[in-house]
Amino acid sequence: SERAPAEHIGRAQARARCGKKGKPMPVDQSVYPAKELCSRCGFCNTSLIAQVQDACAFLGAGMARIDQLEHTVHGRPRQEEELYFGVQDGLRPIQVAPEARTGRRAWTGVVTSIACEMLRSKAVDAVLCVSSTVDKPLEPKPILARSVEEVLQTGGVKPMLSPNLLPLEELWQVRGEDIQRLLFIGVGCQVQALRSVEADLGLKELYVLGTNCVDNPRNAEALHRFLQSASETPETATGFEFMQDNRIHVKHSDGRYERIPVFSLKEPQNCTGVIAKSCYSCFDYVNALTDLTVGYMGVPWQGGRMTEHQQYCVVRNERGQKMLRLSQSVLELGQAEELQVDGRLSRQQLLPEVLRPELDLAFGQRKPRPEPPRWLAELLSEVFTWLGPQGLDFARASIDRATLRNLVCLEVDLLKKRAGQQMELDATLPKHAKKIRSQYQELFETLLETYRG
Ligand code: FAD
Ligand code: SF4
Ligand code: SF4
């Protein structure tokens, strides 16, 4: 299922052949081509901007292009049984062996460890990944890392829109031919833009390693607003995650962990506008165009800290297999069957209850209400974890939730604009989003009716 390798023409020739060079926008530009839907992916801050209409995940056919790009990148389209996790050669539990874990990491550090092994084995000359500064550990700073030491500084999620494609300008314009093999690490909207211009980069080889991604805060102010709702000491937070135990786990610089039941967020109505508009328009939770995607949500809850908890990976093609092979000395892979755990209630039963507060938040209709006592919030988290979907079904429930919420948001927005603007939502949707909608058609129409106002 591997595609034919792109003809290698070198950077100078690629530039000449491409012929399309634009003027990069400054990073502090306030309006981008995709306007309020822009995910600030960095593409427009490079001279590749001339191709933005065909590359941007939020312009023209947008994420509907994933269907064709999957075929191009993986050599075949997504099959029926790949509806949720995308084209795959395998889906496995994964973790970094305890003795090989790095200091800075989100979970066990699978992504960082693979990146280091790709450099150590000289499979790549550089890794494009997201670092941060010491004083602002949660704010993204994408870099072209040339050494293992540099990559080790980039572990951990920077939970904010990140201009990951920005260093392509350095690669494309400044680096000449010294970086021929690149490993790119990023999330779905960034990977879609990258894949759209892959042939024009003049690289001998491109490996793409990604993570799942959903509901990213739009900037530092939004992230801070969320942390104030979730944490007693937001100023020392160095990471957080919505975990499978229905709690938000917040890591702190002094080594503390807070575990806050999702039902006891302080004044959740203040979180309106935290999630970027792009993420309310996104249908690529599982990063379908990577060679290898890493996440956590498909693993049954094991208790403990996220930095010790198993993760899972989706291998999409031969390049993904090669990344795992080259990293096998530091990774522990489990069996796919370990992820197949059913909950007591089906995800279809729980979805309406989960979606309403989310849509209230999205439309700014969340009303202030008294916080439940902590013991009750803890109990609710326990009950939902015990009753709810687990393993791959938990992941499917998360994908259903994000897909349906975003479909309702986009359709309601469109209905408001329709008088002056005849846009067809379906023309911008990948097939998997339409299929998920058809599974919940009745619920979708009820929600549409409720929120169209
Ligand atoms: P590490 O070894 O710590 O490496 C993390 C890598 O992520 C780094 O290489 C860095 O380059 C990259 N990175 C960090 N911040 C960003 C960013 N803002 N944009 C692009 N790349 C970045 N997984 C799920 O299963 N379900 C989810 O709902 C989910 N939501 C996520 C939301 C966001 C915004 C992000 C960035 C990730 C999300 N993930 C989700 C993935 C998960 O949090 C971990 O990133 C993944 O399991 C890898 O963990 P690790 O320990 O192997 O990563
Ligand atoms: Fe440009 Fe990326 Fe924004 Fe699209 S999402 S307008 S490609 S910066
Ligand atoms: Fe990009 Fe989608 Fe992640 Fe938002 S949720 S940052 S649009 S991949």
Side-chain angles (χ1 to χ4, degrees), residues 129-356:
C129 49
V130 187
S131 193
S132 58
T133 54
V134 179
D135 53 328
K136 292 181 179 162
L138 293 178
E139 296 191 20
K141 186 172 164 250
I143 58 165
L144 263 181
R146 300 298 300 268
S147 68
V148 167
E149 291 67 35
E150 278 175 287
V151 172
L152 285 172
Q153 298 306 314
T154 66
V157 171
K158 291 53 176 203
M160 205 185 297
L161 294 182
S162 170
N164 272 35
L165 296 161
L166 174 64
L168 284 183
E169 184 64 6
E170 187 185 337
L171 177 89
W172 175 247
Q173 297 284 11
V174 184
R175 286 290 185 164
E177 304 287 323
D178 71 335
I179 298 175
Q180 294 284 348
R181 296 175 183 81
L182 178 74
L183 170 62
F184 177 89
I185 301 176
V187 298
C189 56
Q190 304 156 356
V191 172
Q192 180 173 338
L194 176 76
R195 288 299 195 190
S196 304
V197 296
E198 180 173 353
D200 296 331
L201 294 174
L203 287 166
K204 236 180 215 161
E205 288 189 67
L206 173 68
Y207 294 84
V208 181
L209 171 59
T211 64
N212 292 334
C213 184
V214 75
D215 297 355
N216 222 346
R218 64 192 163 84
N219 55 25
E221 176 279 324
L223 171 66
H224 189 63
R225 204 139 46 86
F226 166 74
L227 284 172
Q228 280 181 322
S229 237
S231 169
E232 291 302 326
T233 54
E235 59 289 349
T236 56
T238 55
F240 69 87
E241 203 70 73
F242 282 80
M243 300 284 279
Q244 299 97 317
D245 65 344
N246 289 294
R247 290 179 175 84
I248 301 158
H249 293 204
V250 187
K251 285 191 259 190
H252 289 278
S253 50
D254 53 12
R256 270 179 311 121
Y257 266 67
E258 278 178 290
R259 294 181 172 86
I260 299 110
V262 289
F263 308 95
S264 66
L265 275 180
K266 283 174 274 170
E267 300 178 340
Q269 71 278 5
N270 288 350
C271 292
T272 295
V274 162
I275 298 173
K277 269 260 183 184
S278 54
C279 308
Y280 279 122
S281 320
C282 179
F283 298 97
D284 194 16
Y285 202 151
V286 299
N287 215 338
L289 300 172
T290 62
D291 300 315
L292 177 66
T293 295
V294 180
Y296 67 87
M297 63 185 174
V299 183
W301 172 235
Q302 298 168 332
R305 294 187 161 193
M306 63 178 121
T307 46
E308 317 299 326
H309 199 287
Q310 206 172 34
Q311 301 164 251
Y312 77 103
C313 66
V314 185
V315 191
R316 304 202 183 281
N317 56 35
E318 176 50 35
R319 276 168 198 278
Q321 298 284 12
K322 185 170 166 187
M323 283 192 253
L324 286 186
R325 262 197 317 277
L326 291 175
S327 315
Q328 62 189 1
S329 62
V330 294
L331 296 178
E332 289 176 356
L333 278 158
Q335 297 306 316
E337 300 75 57
E338 295 166 36
L339 304 175
Q340 305 282 0
V341 183
D342 289 330
R344 290 166 179 84
L345 282 178
S346 73
R347 58 183 204 275
Q348 288 84 355
Q349 283 168 293
L350 287 172
L351 200 59
E353 298 320 309
V354 178
L355 271 173
R356 281 177 208 278

